[in-house]
Amino acid sequence: MEGKFKTVNSSRVTISQLMLPSYTNFSGKIHGGYLLSLLDQIAFACASKYSGNYCVTASVDTVNFLAPIEVGELVTLKASVNYVGNSSMIVGIRVEAENIQTGKVKHCNSSYFTMVAKDENGKNTKVPGLIIKNQDEVRRFYNCLKQIATKKEFDKYEEAFDYKSDEALLALKEHNVKVELN
């Protein structure tokens, strides 16, 4: 892969599926778990298409459920690679639901998955560099850089913070929690 670059457009994948009653939760809306399965499938397809390798989900970074999806709506998932590292890619996914009777389309979900390319032996393998061609692609790439930095800060904070200290336990009293440690 040394020196190879690909465009964001070369990663784009779109999947559409009619929502059936068997996909619903107890309130009659499409189950979030079912949608997560579709999100993972399109993230895999997008990352594999871009990298030319089998890819695995390293993390589900963001899943924002913005509007419920109804039975009978046509759901379209649109994915593209927004960021590449050495062997990793951040795939952005937009989910829209269309009422096929009225034609009304609503934005239902935005998600970001970190995918990692694997070689035939299951080892991480290098992915092509990313060619960015417009301001939206620049914005998405920068947002991924911010997302990565935030994740690293959170990990650092998790490692350094002493949850057992008297100070930490006292600070919990400011929240709607009662601490009863044995």
Side-chain angles (χ1 to χ4, degrees), residues 4-13 45-52 79-81 128-131 133 137:
K4 186 175 181 182
F5 286 81
K6 287 178 141 182
T7 64
V8 172
N9 275 344
S10 71
S11 74
R12 293 196 192 283
V13 176
C46 178
S48 295
K49 178 181 177 185
Y50 181 81
S51 69
S80 65
V81 170
L130 192 62
I131 299 170
K133 292 191 165 206
E137 292 172 1

Side-chain angles (χ1 to χ4, degrees), residues 13 19 26 43 63 67 73-75 78 80 98 102 104-106 108 120 125 133 139-140 142 146 157 169 179-180:
V13 176
M19 293 296 106
F26 293 110
V63 178
E73 289 184 323
L74 182 64
V75 168
K78 301 173 184 177
S80 65
E98 178 182 0
T102 66
K104 184 178 180 195
V105 177
K106 61 185 173 184
C108 297
E120 339 33 80
T125 189
K133 292 191 165 206
R139 177 183 53 80
R140 289 182 185 121
Y142 267 110
K146 288 191 292 187
Y157 176 79
L169 295 174
V179 179
E180 294 180 351

Side-chain angles (χ1 to χ4, degrees), residues 52-112:
N53 292 91
Y54 178 79
C55 292
V56 297
T57 305
S59 65
V60 178
D61 303 315
T62 307
V63 178
N64 292 321
F65 293 98
L66 306 171
I69 299 171
E70 307 290 338
V71 171
E73 289 184 323
L74 182 64
V75 168
T76 301
L77 296 89
K78 301 173 184 177
S80 65
V81 170
N82 292 345
Y83 167 89
V84 297
N86 289 318
S87 61
S88 67
M89 298 151 279
I90 296 179
V91 174
I93 308 164
R94 180 182 174 93
V95 179
E96 296 175 341
E98 178 182 0
N99 180 314
I100 56 177
Q101 294 172 325
T102 66
K104 184 178 180 195
V105 177
K106 61 185 173 184
H107 180 197
C108 297
N109 185 291
S110 289
S111 299
Y112 299 91

